[in-house]
Amino acid sequence: PFVENGTASSSYNHAANTAAEYDFCLQENYALVNTTYYFRAVSITTGTAILPDSGYNWPSITISDHSLSLAIDSSFDLEEINMDDAPGPTTGVFDNLYIRDYRGSNLGWSVTATATDFTDGVGNTIDINNLSIDSSNISAIYAENTSGINLGSGVLSTSVPLNIATANNGYGQGNYKINGNMSLLIPIATVPGSYSTMMTITIS
């Protein structure tokens, strides 16, 4: 019998006085680092553990030290705007900003963003403080708890980090996905063209 889905269970009925090999898919979630976890066989009839025979031990796994990481699964794009409609705004969305906290330290985290001024590559610019971001939703990838996580919004800067999301101490372990919206005001005197900015998103 085997289970390859991290949220499923096996309906296998282990007959008495028989031997069987079990294979399970393990999804690390809220596990403490440098800790060994043991897996027990439990009788569904009595609810008590079934002790292994002499010379055998409980199956176990040791959780190594993991990391805090950030991944972006889509681009941050704004809609085209006609200068006759300036200052706009022109809007856009971002999806699938993934946060993974596998450290097991329960210390929380902070995601922030800075960006360069928009430029068309030939000397024309739009100040980045015309661009605002609103983190509208955070969702759990598996069975994580989104309590204790605060979403941020505001105007971007070249030097002052804008809060995208913050997990308080004691929260934020596991896998999360953030979606949000963007809004850019176009100064009336802006030279028409294709503008881009370099955004830096940091997790710590």
Side-chain angles (χ1 to χ4, degrees):
F2 60 90
V3 175
E4 291 184 341
N5 186 314
T7 58
S9 60
S10 172
S11 60
Y12 176 75
N13 186 9
H14 192 158
N17 302 314
T18 63
E21 178 180 308
Y22 289 81
D23 293 312
F24 286 93
C25 169
L26 300 181
Q27 168 65 45
E28 189 277 327
N29 194 22
Y30 297 103
L32 298 176
V33 299
N34 302 316
T35 301
T36 299
Y37 289 86
Y38 294 88
F39 300 87
R40 300 183 301 166
V42 177
S43 170
I44 62 173
T45 302
T46 65
T48 58
I50 302 172
L51 299 177
D53 289 340
S54 177
Y56 294 88
N57 298 311
W58 296 117
S60 65
I61 185 172
T62 300
I63 306 301
S64 61
D65 193 5
H66 297 308
S67 62
L68 177 67
S69 65
L70 182 75
I72 300 173
D73 194 34
S74 67
S75 57
F76 285 52
D77 292 327
L78 293 162
E79 298 176 355
E80 182 178 306
I81 185 173
N82 191 305
M83 282 307 299
D84 292 338
D85 299 324
T90 176
T91 60
V93 298
F94 65 90
D95 296 308
N96 303 341
L97 180 63
Y98 290 102
I99 298 168
R100 299 180 177 92
D101 185 1
Y102 290 164
R103 298 169 297 174
S105 57
N106 216 24
L107 294 177
W109 41 260
S110 177
V111 177
T112 59
T114 57
T116 62
D117 290 332
F118 284 91
T119 178
D120 65 354
V122 292
N124 300 304
T125 62
I126 301 174
D127 288 346
I128 196 60
N129 59 15
N130 288 288
L131 178 65
S132 60
I133 286 184
D134 176 20
S135 300
S136 59
N137 180 62
I138 184 167
S139 56
I141 302 299
Y142 298 109
E144 293 86 356
N145 187 350
T146 58
S147 298
I149 301 177
N150 302 308
L151 298 177
S153 63
V155 173
L156 276 166
S157 166
T158 59
S159 58
V160 180
L162 171 66
N163 177 54
I164 300 295
T166 300
N168 297 326
N169 186 28
Y171 298 93
Q173 291 191 95
N175 302 261
Y176 301 91
K177 180 177 70 173
I178 296 178
N179 300 331
N181 304 290
M182 297 179 292
S183 178
L184 176 65
L185 294 171
I186 309 295
I188 299 297
T190 300
V191 177
S194 179
Y195 290 77
S196 62
T197 176
M198 178 68 71
M199 187 181 301
T200 301
I201 303 177
T202 304
I203 187 168
S204 58

